[in-house]
Amino acid sequence: METSQDYLMVSMKLLGALGLLIYGMRMMSDALQKMAGPQLRHILARMTTNRLTGMLTGTFVTCAVQSSSATTVMTVSFVSAGLLTLSQAISVIMGANIGTTLTAWIMTLGYNVDLTNVVFPAFTIGIILIYMKRHRIVGDFLFGIAFMFLSLVMLSSAGKELDLEHNADVVAFFASFDTDSYWTILAFLGIGTLITCIVQSSAAVMAITILLCSTGVLPIYLGIALVMGENIGTTATANLAALGANTQARRAALAHLLFNVFGVVWVLCVFYPFVNLVCQLVGYDPAAGGQAARLPVVLAMFHTCFNVTNTALLIGFIPWMERAVCWLLPEKTEQQDEEFRLRHIQANLMQTPEISVLQAQKETAHFGQRVQQMFGLVSRLADEHDGQQFARLFSQIEQQEDYTDRMEIEIASFLEQVSENHLSDETKAKVRQMLREVGELESIGDACYNLARTLSRRNDSGKSFPPRLDEQLHEMMGLCDKALRQMNIVITGHRHQHDIRETFRLENEINLLRQRLKADNIRAVNEREYDYAIGTTYIDLINECEKLGDYVVNVVQARFGK
Protein backbone atom coordinates (compact mmCIF):
# COMPACT_ATOMS: atom_id res chain seq x y z
CA MET A 1 0.00 0.00 0.00
CA GLU A 2 1.35 3.40 -1.01
CA THR A 3 2.08 5.85 1.83
CA SER A 4 1.54 9.60 1.68
CA GLN A 5 5.31 10.07 1.51
CA ASP A 6 5.49 7.76 -1.51
CA TYR A 7 2.74 9.75 -3.23
CA LEU A 8 4.58 13.00 -2.43
CA MET A 9 7.80 11.73 -4.02
CA VAL A 10 6.02 10.47 -7.10
CA SER A 11 4.10 13.76 -7.38
CA MET A 12 7.38 15.68 -7.23
CA LYS A 13 8.76 13.41 -9.94
CA LEU A 14 5.64 14.10 -11.99
CA LEU A 15 5.98 17.88 -11.62
CA GLY A 16 9.70 17.68 -12.41
CA ALA A 17 8.94 15.67 -15.55
CA LEU A 18 6.39 18.28 -16.64
CA GLY A 19 8.92 21.05 -16.06
CA LEU A 20 11.48 19.09 -18.07
CA LEU A 21 8.93 18.61 -20.87
CA ILE A 22 8.21 22.35 -21.09
CA TYR A 23 11.92 23.19 -20.96
CA GLY A 24 12.83 20.56 -23.55
CA MET A 25 10.18 21.72 -26.00
CA ARG A 26 11.18 25.35 -25.51
CA MET A 27 14.87 24.50 -26.01
CA MET A 28 14.13 22.47 -29.13
CA SER A 29 11.81 25.15 -30.55
CA ASP A 30 14.30 27.97 -29.92
CA ALA A 31 17.13 25.98 -31.51
CA LEU A 32 15.04 25.23 -34.60
CA GLN A 33 14.03 28.87 -34.94
CA LYS A 34 17.67 29.94 -34.68
CA MET A 35 18.77 27.34 -37.24
CA ALA A 36 16.01 28.19 -39.69
CA GLY A 37 15.19 31.76 -38.66
CA PRO A 38 15.80 33.47 -42.02
CA GLN A 39 14.23 30.53 -43.90
CA LEU A 40 11.13 30.56 -41.66
CA ARG A 41 10.92 34.29 -42.19
CA HIS A 42 10.98 33.89 -45.96
CA ILE A 43 8.54 30.98 -45.87
CA LEU A 44 6.00 32.92 -43.81
CA ALA A 45 6.47 36.07 -45.88
CA ARG A 46 6.33 34.43 -49.33
CA MET A 47 4.30 31.22 -49.05
CA THR A 48 1.08 32.90 -47.99
CA THR A 49 -0.21 33.97 -51.39
CA ASN A 50 -3.65 32.48 -50.71
CA ARG A 51 -5.60 30.85 -47.88
CA LEU A 52 -4.55 27.30 -48.69
CA THR A 53 -0.82 28.03 -48.96
CA GLY A 54 -1.03 30.14 -45.78
CA MET A 55 -2.67 27.26 -43.92
CA LEU A 56 -0.11 24.73 -45.22
CA THR A 57 2.72 27.09 -44.30
CA GLY A 58 1.42 27.41 -40.72
CA THR A 59 1.13 23.62 -40.50
CA PHE A 60 4.64 23.04 -41.83
CA VAL A 61 6.31 25.67 -39.60
CA THR A 62 4.52 24.45 -36.46
CA CYS A 63 5.48 20.84 -37.18
CA ALA A 64 9.06 22.05 -37.63
CA VAL A 65 9.34 24.14 -34.45
CA GLN A 66 6.95 21.96 -32.40
CA SER A 67 5.17 24.95 -30.89
CA SER A 68 1.94 26.51 -32.09
CA SER A 69 2.55 29.37 -29.64
CA ALA A 70 5.92 30.08 -31.29
CA THR A 71 4.33 30.10 -34.75
CA THR A 72 1.40 32.23 -33.64
CA VAL A 73 3.55 34.79 -31.81
CA MET A 74 5.90 34.82 -34.81
CA THR A 75 2.92 35.47 -37.09
CA VAL A 76 1.64 38.26 -34.82
CA SER A 77 5.15 39.76 -34.94
CA PHE A 78 5.09 39.67 -38.74
CA VAL A 79 1.69 41.37 -38.81
CA SER A 80 3.07 44.00 -36.43
CA ALA A 81 6.09 44.47 -38.73
CA GLY A 82 3.82 44.79 -41.78
CA LEU A 83 5.16 41.61 -43.44
CA LEU A 84 1.84 39.76 -43.42
CA THR A 85 -1.68 41.02 -43.96
CA LEU A 86 -4.33 40.14 -41.42
CA SER A 87 -6.00 37.59 -43.74
CA GLN A 88 -2.64 35.90 -44.41
CA ALA A 89 -1.97 35.73 -40.68
CA ILE A 90 -5.36 34.11 -40.00
CA SER A 91 -4.65 31.36 -42.54
CA VAL A 92 -1.20 30.73 -40.99
CA ILE A 93 -2.75 30.53 -37.50
CA MET A 94 -5.28 27.96 -38.76
CA GLY A 95 -2.40 25.87 -40.06
CA ALA A 96 -0.55 26.25 -36.77
CA ASN A 97 -3.50 24.63 -34.99
CA ILE A 98 -3.19 21.62 -37.30
CA GLY A 99 0.59 21.47 -36.91
CA THR A 100 0.39 21.40 -33.13
CA THR A 101 -1.49 18.08 -33.27
CA LEU A 102 1.85 16.42 -34.04
CA THR A 103 2.87 17.11 -30.44
CA ALA A 104 0.01 14.95 -29.15
CA TRP A 105 1.07 12.09 -31.42
CA ILE A 106 4.67 12.36 -30.18
CA MET A 107 3.43 12.16 -26.58
CA THR A 108 1.25 9.19 -27.44
CA LEU A 109 4.34 7.51 -28.89
CA GLY A 110 6.17 8.21 -25.62
CA TYR A 111 3.50 6.35 -23.66
CA ASN A 112 3.55 3.34 -25.96
CA VAL A 113 7.24 3.01 -26.90
CA ASP A 114 10.34 2.94 -24.70
CA LEU A 115 12.26 6.04 -25.76
CA THR A 116 15.21 5.48 -23.44
CA ASN A 117 17.30 4.11 -26.30
CA VAL A 118 16.92 7.45 -28.11
CA VAL A 119 17.51 9.75 -25.13
CA PHE A 120 21.08 8.91 -24.11
CA PRO A 121 22.63 8.90 -27.62
CA ALA A 122 20.96 12.29 -28.20
CA PHE A 123 22.52 13.66 -24.98
CA THR A 124 25.94 12.29 -25.96
CA ILE A 125 25.94 13.70 -29.48
CA GLY A 126 24.37 16.96 -28.27
CA ILE A 127 27.04 17.72 -25.66
CA ILE A 128 29.80 17.05 -28.22
CA LEU A 129 28.20 19.48 -30.69
CA ILE A 130 27.66 22.12 -28.00
CA TYR A 131 31.39 22.11 -27.20
CA MET A 132 32.08 22.34 -30.93
CA LYS A 133 30.88 25.96 -30.95
CA ARG A 134 30.26 25.93 -34.69
CA HIS A 135 27.43 23.40 -34.23
CA ARG A 136 26.18 24.62 -30.86
CA ILE A 137 22.62 25.26 -32.04
CA VAL A 138 22.31 21.70 -33.41
CA GLY A 139 23.52 20.45 -30.03
CA ASP A 140 20.87 22.55 -28.28
CA PHE A 141 18.26 21.03 -30.59
CA LEU A 142 19.35 17.47 -29.73
CA PHE A 143 19.35 18.32 -26.02
CA GLY A 144 15.81 19.69 -26.38
CA ILE A 145 14.65 16.46 -28.05
CA ALA A 146 16.43 14.37 -25.42
CA PHE A 147 14.86 16.35 -22.56
CA MET A 148 11.42 16.06 -24.16
CA PHE A 149 11.69 12.28 -24.65
CA LEU A 150 13.22 11.81 -21.19
CA SER A 151 10.31 13.72 -19.64
CA LEU A 152 7.84 11.45 -21.47
CA VAL A 153 9.64 8.39 -20.12
CA MET A 154 9.54 9.92 -16.61
CA LEU A 155 5.84 10.79 -16.95
CA SER A 156 4.99 7.27 -18.05
CA SER A 157 7.05 5.87 -15.16
CA ALA A 158 5.46 8.25 -12.64
CA GLY A 159 1.99 7.30 -13.90
CA LYS A 160 2.73 3.61 -13.30
CA GLU A 161 4.17 4.32 -9.84
CA LEU A 162 1.11 6.32 -8.85
CA ASP A 163 -1.00 3.27 -9.69
CA LEU A 164 -4.09 5.46 -9.76
CA GLU A 165 -6.30 2.77 -11.27
CA HIS A 166 -6.03 0.87 -7.98
CA ASN A 167 -6.53 3.90 -5.76
CA ALA A 168 -10.13 3.72 -4.62
CA ASP A 169 -10.35 7.39 -3.64
CA VAL A 170 -9.08 8.66 -7.00
CA VAL A 171 -11.27 6.24 -8.94
CA ALA A 172 -14.30 7.24 -6.85
CA PHE A 173 -13.51 10.96 -7.34
CA PHE A 174 -13.53 10.80 -11.14
CA ALA A 175 -16.42 8.33 -11.14
CA SER A 176 -18.50 10.88 -9.24
CA PHE A 177 -18.65 13.09 -12.34
CA ASP A 178 -21.57 12.48 -14.67
CA THR A 179 -19.96 12.12 -18.10
CA ASP A 180 -23.40 12.35 -19.75
CA SER A 181 -23.92 15.87 -18.39
CA TYR A 182 -23.00 18.89 -20.46
CA TRP A 183 -22.33 20.81 -17.24
CA THR A 184 -19.56 18.36 -16.38
CA ILE A 185 -18.07 18.70 -19.86
CA LEU A 186 -18.17 22.51 -19.58
CA ALA A 187 -16.57 22.38 -16.14
CA PHE A 188 -13.63 20.30 -17.39
CA LEU A 189 -13.35 22.49 -20.47
CA GLY A 190 -13.01 25.50 -18.14
CA ILE A 191 -10.42 23.67 -16.02
CA GLY A 192 -8.37 22.85 -19.13
CA THR A 193 -8.53 26.48 -20.28
CA LEU A 194 -7.53 27.87 -16.88
CA ILE A 195 -4.60 25.50 -16.36
CA THR A 196 -3.26 26.17 -19.88
CA CYS A 197 -3.50 29.93 -19.34
CA ILE A 198 -1.59 29.60 -16.05
CA VAL A 199 1.22 27.28 -17.18
CA GLN A 200 1.38 28.83 -20.70
CA SER A 201 1.96 25.39 -22.20
CA SER A 202 -0.69 23.36 -23.97
CA ALA A 203 1.85 20.50 -24.17
CA ALA A 204 1.96 20.23 -20.36
CA VAL A 205 -1.84 20.04 -20.12
CA MET A 206 -1.93 17.47 -22.92
CA ALA A 207 0.71 15.40 -21.10
CA ILE A 208 -1.29 15.43 -17.86
CA THR A 209 -4.49 14.50 -19.72
CA ILE A 210 -2.79 11.61 -21.51
CA LEU A 211 -1.29 10.45 -18.20
CA LEU A 212 -4.65 10.41 -16.41
CA CYS A 213 -6.44 8.74 -19.33
CA SER A 214 -3.71 6.13 -19.82
CA THR A 215 -4.13 4.99 -16.20
CA GLY A 216 -7.85 4.48 -16.82
CA VAL A 217 -9.10 6.78 -14.04
CA LEU A 218 -10.12 9.72 -16.26
CA PRO A 219 -13.06 8.95 -18.60
CA ILE A 220 -12.39 9.75 -22.23
CA TYR A 221 -15.19 12.34 -22.43
CA LEU A 222 -13.64 14.37 -19.59
CA GLY A 223 -10.16 14.00 -21.10
CA ILE A 224 -11.41 15.36 -24.41
CA ALA A 225 -13.08 18.26 -22.57
CA LEU A 226 -9.67 19.13 -21.09
CA VAL A 227 -8.11 19.00 -24.57
CA MET A 228 -10.79 21.39 -25.87
CA GLY A 229 -10.05 23.76 -23.01
CA GLU A 230 -6.34 23.55 -23.82
CA ASN A 231 -7.15 24.72 -27.37
CA ILE A 232 -8.71 27.91 -25.98
CA GLY A 233 -6.06 28.41 -23.27
CA THR A 234 -3.19 28.23 -25.74
CA THR A 235 -4.43 31.43 -27.41
CA ALA A 236 -3.53 33.36 -24.25
CA THR A 237 0.17 33.38 -25.20
CA ALA A 238 -0.31 35.33 -28.43
CA ASN A 239 -2.95 37.64 -26.91
CA LEU A 240 -0.67 38.51 -23.97
CA ALA A 241 2.25 39.10 -26.35
CA ALA A 242 0.11 41.38 -28.51
CA LEU A 243 -1.15 43.59 -25.67
CA GLY A 244 1.48 46.27 -26.29
CA ALA A 245 1.57 45.79 -30.05
CA ASN A 246 -0.21 47.73 -32.77
CA THR A 247 -3.85 47.22 -33.72
CA GLN A 248 -3.15 44.78 -36.57
CA ALA A 249 -1.13 42.50 -34.29
CA ARG A 250 -3.88 42.49 -31.65
CA ARG A 251 -6.42 41.66 -34.35
CA ALA A 252 -4.36 38.65 -35.45
CA ALA A 253 -4.17 37.38 -31.86
CA LEU A 254 -7.92 37.92 -31.40
CA ALA A 255 -8.60 35.99 -34.63
CA HIS A 256 -6.73 33.03 -33.10
CA LEU A 257 -8.99 33.15 -30.04
CA LEU A 258 -12.19 33.45 -32.13
CA PHE A 259 -11.11 30.56 -34.35
CA ASN A 260 -10.58 28.20 -31.42
CA VAL A 261 -13.68 29.36 -29.52
CA PHE A 262 -15.84 28.78 -32.61
CA GLY A 263 -14.38 25.28 -32.94
CA VAL A 264 -15.17 24.44 -29.33
CA VAL A 265 -18.72 25.77 -29.68
CA TRP A 266 -19.62 23.65 -32.70
CA VAL A 267 -17.98 20.54 -31.20
CA LEU A 268 -20.02 21.04 -28.03
CA CYS A 269 -23.18 21.05 -30.16
CA VAL A 270 -22.33 17.56 -31.49
CA PHE A 271 -20.03 16.50 -28.65
CA TYR A 272 -21.05 12.89 -27.98
CA PRO A 273 -21.60 11.84 -31.63
CA PHE A 274 -18.30 13.46 -32.65
CA VAL A 275 -16.32 11.83 -29.82
CA ASN A 276 -17.92 8.44 -30.51
CA LEU A 277 -16.98 8.77 -34.19
CA VAL A 278 -13.35 9.47 -33.24
CA CYS A 279 -13.37 6.49 -30.88
CA GLN A 280 -14.63 4.26 -33.72
CA LEU A 281 -11.74 5.44 -35.92
CA VAL A 282 -9.23 3.97 -33.45
CA GLY A 283 -11.31 0.96 -32.45
CA TYR A 284 -12.22 2.07 -28.92
CA ASP A 285 -15.64 1.62 -27.32
CA PRO A 286 -16.38 4.30 -24.65
CA ALA A 287 -19.32 2.32 -23.30
CA ALA A 288 -17.28 -0.83 -22.73
CA GLY A 289 -14.44 0.93 -20.91
CA GLY A 290 -11.09 -0.72 -20.35
CA GLN A 291 -8.41 -0.62 -23.04
CA ALA A 292 -6.71 2.27 -21.21
CA ALA A 293 -3.65 1.90 -23.45
CA ARG A 294 -5.75 3.07 -26.42
CA LEU A 295 -6.92 6.28 -24.73
CA PRO A 296 -3.79 8.36 -25.56
CA VAL A 297 -4.38 7.45 -29.24
CA VAL A 298 -8.03 8.55 -28.93
CA LEU A 299 -6.95 11.92 -27.48
CA ALA A 300 -4.38 12.48 -30.24
CA MET A 301 -6.91 11.48 -32.92
CA PHE A 302 -9.56 13.80 -31.46
CA HIS A 303 -7.06 16.67 -31.34
CA THR A 304 -6.25 16.10 -35.02
CA CYS A 305 -9.86 15.65 -36.17
CA PHE A 306 -11.00 18.69 -34.19
CA ASN A 307 -8.40 21.07 -35.65
CA VAL A 308 -8.55 19.73 -39.20
CA THR A 309 -12.36 19.88 -39.30
CA ASN A 310 -12.43 23.34 -37.71
CA THR A 311 -9.95 24.64 -40.29
CA ALA A 312 -11.92 23.03 -43.15
CA LEU A 313 -15.09 24.73 -41.92
CA LEU A 314 -13.60 28.19 -41.44
CA ILE A 315 -10.92 28.56 -44.12
CA GLY A 316 -13.53 29.82 -46.57
CA PHE A 317 -14.71 32.46 -44.09
CA ILE A 318 -11.38 34.22 -43.50
CA PRO A 319 -12.65 37.53 -45.01
CA TRP A 320 -15.61 37.46 -42.57
CA MET A 321 -13.27 36.69 -39.65
CA GLU A 322 -11.12 39.62 -40.72
CA ARG A 323 -14.13 41.94 -40.74
CA ALA A 324 -15.24 40.63 -37.35
CA VAL A 325 -11.90 41.33 -35.61
CA CYS A 326 -11.66 44.74 -37.35
CA TRP A 327 -15.11 45.55 -35.97
CA LEU A 328 -14.20 44.32 -32.48
CA LEU A 329 -10.85 46.17 -32.52
CA PRO A 330 -11.32 49.38 -34.56
CA GLU A 331 -8.25 51.38 -35.56
CA LYS A 332 -7.52 54.07 -33.01
CA THR A 333 -6.80 57.60 -34.16
CA GLU A 334 -3.22 58.32 -33.15
CA GLN A 335 -2.69 61.38 -31.03
CA GLN A 336 -0.21 64.02 -32.18
CA ASP A 337 2.15 63.29 -29.26
CA GLU A 338 2.21 59.58 -30.08
CA GLU A 339 3.60 59.97 -33.61
CA PHE A 340 7.11 59.08 -32.50
CA ARG A 341 6.04 55.58 -31.40
CA LEU A 342 7.85 52.86 -33.24
CA ARG A 343 5.60 51.14 -35.78
CA HIS A 344 7.26 47.78 -36.25
CA ILE A 345 9.37 47.09 -33.17
CA GLN A 346 7.44 45.58 -30.29
CA ALA A 347 9.84 44.57 -27.50
CA ASN A 348 7.30 42.23 -25.91
CA LEU A 349 7.01 40.33 -29.20
CA MET A 350 10.74 39.66 -29.44
CA GLN A 351 11.26 36.05 -30.46
CA THR A 352 14.36 34.88 -32.29
CA PRO A 353 17.14 37.34 -33.15
CA GLU A 354 16.41 36.85 -36.87
CA ILE A 355 12.81 38.01 -36.47
CA SER A 356 13.90 40.88 -34.22
CA VAL A 357 16.45 41.98 -36.84
CA LEU A 358 13.70 41.92 -39.45
CA GLN A 359 11.53 44.17 -37.25
CA ALA A 360 14.48 46.55 -36.82
CA GLN A 361 15.02 46.63 -40.60
CA LYS A 362 11.39 47.61 -41.15
CA GLU A 363 11.67 50.29 -38.45
CA THR A 364 14.89 51.63 -40.00
CA ALA A 365 13.13 51.87 -43.36
CA HIS A 366 10.34 53.83 -41.66
CA PHE A 367 13.03 56.08 -40.11
CA GLY A 368 14.36 56.78 -43.61
CA GLN A 369 10.90 57.75 -44.84
CA ARG A 370 10.45 60.05 -41.84
CA VAL A 371 13.67 62.02 -42.50
CA GLN A 372 12.69 62.36 -46.17
CA GLN A 373 9.33 63.82 -45.08
CA MET A 374 11.23 66.12 -42.73
CA PHE A 375 13.35 67.37 -45.66
CA GLY A 376 10.11 67.96 -47.56
CA LEU A 377 9.03 70.32 -44.76
CA VAL A 378 12.36 72.15 -45.04
CA SER A 379 11.81 72.60 -48.81
CA ARG A 380 8.39 74.10 -48.10
CA LEU A 381 9.93 76.35 -45.43
CA ALA A 382 12.41 77.73 -47.97
CA ASP A 383 9.50 79.00 -50.12
CA GLU A 384 7.35 80.29 -47.25
CA HIS A 385 7.08 84.05 -46.74
CA ASP A 386 3.99 84.22 -44.52
CA GLY A 387 5.14 84.71 -40.90
CA GLN A 388 2.52 82.55 -39.19
CA GLN A 389 2.80 79.72 -41.71
CA PHE A 390 6.60 79.88 -41.46
CA ALA A 391 6.42 79.57 -37.67
CA ARG A 392 4.04 76.61 -37.93
CA LEU A 393 6.32 74.75 -40.37
CA PHE A 394 9.40 75.50 -38.26
CA SER A 395 7.61 74.13 -35.17
CA GLN A 396 6.79 70.91 -37.06
CA ILE A 397 10.44 70.51 -38.08
CA GLU A 398 11.54 71.02 -34.45
CA GLN A 399 9.09 68.31 -33.40
CA GLN A 400 10.32 65.97 -36.13
CA GLU A 401 13.92 66.53 -35.03
CA ASP A 402 12.97 65.46 -31.52
CA TYR A 403 11.26 62.36 -32.95
CA THR A 404 14.36 61.41 -34.95
CA ASP A 405 16.49 61.63 -31.79
CA ARG A 406 14.10 59.38 -29.92
CA MET A 407 13.79 56.93 -32.80
CA GLU A 408 17.58 56.54 -32.95
CA ILE A 409 17.76 55.79 -29.22
CA GLU A 410 14.86 53.31 -29.23
CA ILE A 411 16.00 51.40 -32.32
CA ALA A 412 19.59 51.29 -31.03
CA SER A 413 18.40 50.08 -27.60
CA PHE A 414 16.34 47.35 -29.26
CA LEU A 415 19.34 46.25 -31.35
CA GLU A 416 21.48 46.15 -28.19
CA GLN A 417 18.94 43.75 -26.65
CA VAL A 418 19.08 41.60 -29.78
CA SER A 419 22.90 41.53 -29.70
CA GLU A 420 22.78 40.01 -26.19
CA ASN A 421 21.51 36.76 -27.76
CA HIS A 422 23.65 34.06 -29.32
CA LEU A 423 23.87 35.37 -32.89
CA SER A 424 25.22 34.02 -36.15
CA ASP A 425 27.99 36.02 -37.84
CA GLU A 426 25.53 37.12 -40.51
CA THR A 427 23.07 38.44 -37.93
CA LYS A 428 25.86 40.22 -36.01
CA ALA A 429 26.87 41.97 -39.23
CA LYS A 430 23.25 43.06 -39.84
CA VAL A 431 23.00 44.50 -36.32
CA ARG A 432 26.22 46.49 -36.80
CA GLN A 433 25.01 47.78 -40.17
CA MET A 434 21.69 48.94 -38.74
CA LEU A 435 23.36 50.70 -35.81
CA ARG A 436 25.39 52.65 -38.40
CA GLU A 437 22.26 53.32 -40.46
CA VAL A 438 20.19 54.75 -37.60
CA GLY A 439 23.12 56.94 -36.49
CA GLU A 440 23.48 58.41 -39.98
CA LEU A 441 19.71 58.81 -40.37
CA GLU A 442 19.64 60.82 -37.16
CA SER A 443 22.44 62.98 -38.62
CA ILE A 444 20.20 63.61 -41.66
CA GLY A 445 17.50 64.77 -39.23
CA ASP A 446 20.03 67.12 -37.60
CA ALA A 447 21.01 68.47 -41.03
CA CYS A 448 17.35 69.17 -41.83
CA TYR A 449 16.98 71.01 -38.52
CA ASN A 450 20.15 73.04 -39.20
CA LEU A 451 18.75 74.02 -42.61
CA ALA A 452 15.50 75.12 -40.93
CA ARG A 453 17.40 77.19 -38.33
CA THR A 454 19.42 78.91 -41.06
CA LEU A 455 16.22 79.71 -42.96
CA SER A 456 14.71 81.02 -39.73
CA ARG A 457 17.76 83.25 -39.23
CA ARG A 458 17.29 84.61 -42.76
CA ASN A 459 13.59 85.15 -42.07
CA ASP A 460 14.34 87.02 -38.81
CA SER A 461 16.79 89.32 -40.61
CA GLY A 462 14.00 90.51 -42.92
CA LYS A 463 16.16 89.91 -45.98
CA SER A 464 15.34 87.60 -48.86
CA PHE A 465 17.44 85.92 -51.51
CA PRO A 466 17.60 87.31 -55.04
CA PRO A 467 15.62 85.14 -57.49
CA ARG A 468 18.83 83.61 -58.89
CA LEU A 469 19.87 82.33 -55.44
CA ASP A 470 16.39 80.90 -54.83
CA GLU A 471 16.63 78.98 -58.11
CA GLN A 472 20.09 77.64 -57.24
CA LEU A 473 18.95 76.64 -53.74
CA HIS A 474 15.96 74.80 -55.26
CA GLU A 475 18.33 73.01 -57.62
CA MET A 476 20.50 71.85 -54.71
CA MET A 477 17.51 70.81 -52.63
CA GLY A 478 16.09 68.92 -55.60
CA LEU A 479 19.30 66.87 -55.84
CA CYS A 480 19.18 66.19 -52.09
CA ASP A 481 15.57 65.05 -52.41
CA LYS A 482 16.56 62.66 -55.23
CA ALA A 483 19.38 61.30 -53.06
CA LEU A 484 16.97 60.72 -50.16
CA ARG A 485 14.50 58.96 -52.46
CA GLN A 486 17.24 56.69 -53.80
CA MET A 487 18.39 56.00 -50.23
CA ASN A 488 14.90 54.90 -49.23
CA ILE A 489 14.63 52.67 -52.29
CA VAL A 490 17.85 50.94 -51.19
CA ILE A 491 17.01 50.49 -47.51
CA THR A 492 13.48 49.22 -48.15
CA GLY A 493 14.52 46.60 -50.72
CA HIS A 494 17.05 43.80 -51.05
CA ARG A 495 20.65 44.83 -51.61
CA HIS A 496 21.12 42.63 -54.67
CA GLN A 497 18.24 44.44 -56.40
CA HIS A 498 19.96 47.85 -56.30
CA ASP A 499 23.18 49.50 -57.44
CA ILE A 500 25.19 51.69 -55.07
CA ARG A 501 26.59 53.62 -58.05
CA GLU A 502 23.38 55.64 -58.44
CA THR A 503 23.86 57.06 -54.93
CA PHE A 504 27.50 57.90 -55.66
CA ARG A 505 26.45 59.60 -58.91
CA LEU A 506 23.97 61.82 -57.06
CA GLU A 507 26.52 62.65 -54.38
CA ASN A 508 29.03 63.62 -57.06
CA GLU A 509 26.42 65.94 -58.64
CA ILE A 510 25.78 67.54 -55.22
CA ASN A 511 29.52 68.07 -54.65
CA LEU A 512 30.09 69.58 -58.10
CA LEU A 513 27.08 71.87 -57.70
CA ARG A 514 28.30 73.03 -54.29
CA GLN A 515 31.74 73.88 -55.69
CA ARG A 516 30.19 75.83 -58.57
CA LEU A 517 27.73 77.70 -56.33
CA LYS A 518 30.42 78.46 -53.77
CA ALA A 519 32.69 79.99 -56.43
CA ASP A 520 29.76 81.90 -57.93
CA ASN A 521 28.81 83.21 -54.47
CA ILE A 522 32.33 84.57 -53.85
CA ARG A 523 32.23 86.34 -57.23
CA ALA A 524 28.73 87.78 -56.62
CA VAL A 525 29.66 89.15 -53.15
CA ASN A 526 32.84 90.70 -54.53
CA GLU A 527 30.87 92.33 -57.33
CA ARG A 528 28.28 93.52 -54.76
CA GLU A 529 25.32 91.78 -56.39
CA TYR A 530 24.08 91.19 -52.82
CA ASP A 531 25.57 91.85 -49.38
CA TYR A 532 27.93 89.60 -47.43
CA ALA A 533 25.27 88.57 -44.85
CA ILE A 534 22.99 87.19 -47.57
CA GLY A 535 25.92 85.38 -49.16
CA THR A 536 26.95 83.82 -45.82
CA THR A 537 23.40 82.58 -45.07
CA TYR A 538 23.09 81.23 -48.60
CA ILE A 539 26.41 79.34 -48.53
CA ASP A 540 25.56 77.91 -45.06
CA LEU A 541 22.46 76.36 -46.64
CA ILE A 542 24.46 74.97 -49.58
CA ASN A 543 27.12 73.48 -47.26
CA GLU A 544 24.47 71.87 -45.05
CA CYS A 545 22.84 70.31 -48.11
CA GLU A 546 26.22 68.89 -49.11
CA LYS A 547 26.65 67.41 -45.61
CA LEU A 548 23.19 65.87 -45.89
CA GLY A 549 24.27 64.23 -49.14
CA ASP A 550 27.31 62.76 -47.35
CA TYR A 551 25.07 61.29 -44.63
CA VAL A 552 22.88 59.73 -47.32
CA VAL A 553 25.94 58.03 -48.83
CA ASN A 554 26.92 56.75 -45.37
CA VAL A 555 23.46 55.20 -44.89
CA VAL A 556 23.61 53.45 -48.26
CA GLN A 557 27.16 52.21 -47.63
CA ALA A 558 26.05 50.81 -44.27
CA ARG A 559 23.16 49.06 -46.01
CA PHE A 560 25.58 47.47 -48.47
CA GLY A 561 27.96 46.51 -45.63
CA LYS A 562 30.75 48.81 -46.85
Side-chain angles (χ1 to χ4, degrees), residues 279-350:
C279 290
Q280 287 177 17
L281 290 175
V282 297
Y284 175 77
D285 184 1
Q291 296 180 293
R294 279 192 172 275
L295 290 179
V297 181
V298 176
L299 288 174
M301 180 61 76
F302 171 82
H303 199 213
T304 302
C305 291
F306 167 75
N307 284 296
V308 169
T309 307
N310 198 32
T311 299
L313 288 173
L314 285 180
I315 196 167
F317 295 92
I318 287 178
W320 284 268
M321 288 182 67
E322 186 177 5
R323 289 176 201 154
V325 293
C326 289
W327 177 74
L328 291 169
L329 285 175
E331 192 75 56
K332 292 182 179 179
T333 304
E334 291 189 0
Q335 299 297 320
Q336 186 75 10
D337 61 349
E338 293 181 337
E339 286 184 12
F340 91 99
R341 280 185 57 187
L342 301 183
R343 287 188 180 181
H344 306 293
I345 288 176
Q346 309 292 340
N348 58 327
L349 288 179
M350 186 182 289

Side-chain angles (χ1 to χ4, degrees), residues 145-157:
I145 286 181
F147 279 136
M148 183 178 73
F149 285 168
L150 180 61
S151 67
L152 293 175
V153 172
M154 291 171 64
L155 283 169
S156 179
S157 173

Side-chain angles (χ1 to χ4, degrees), residues 3 215-216 262:
T3 64
T215 60
F262 176 83

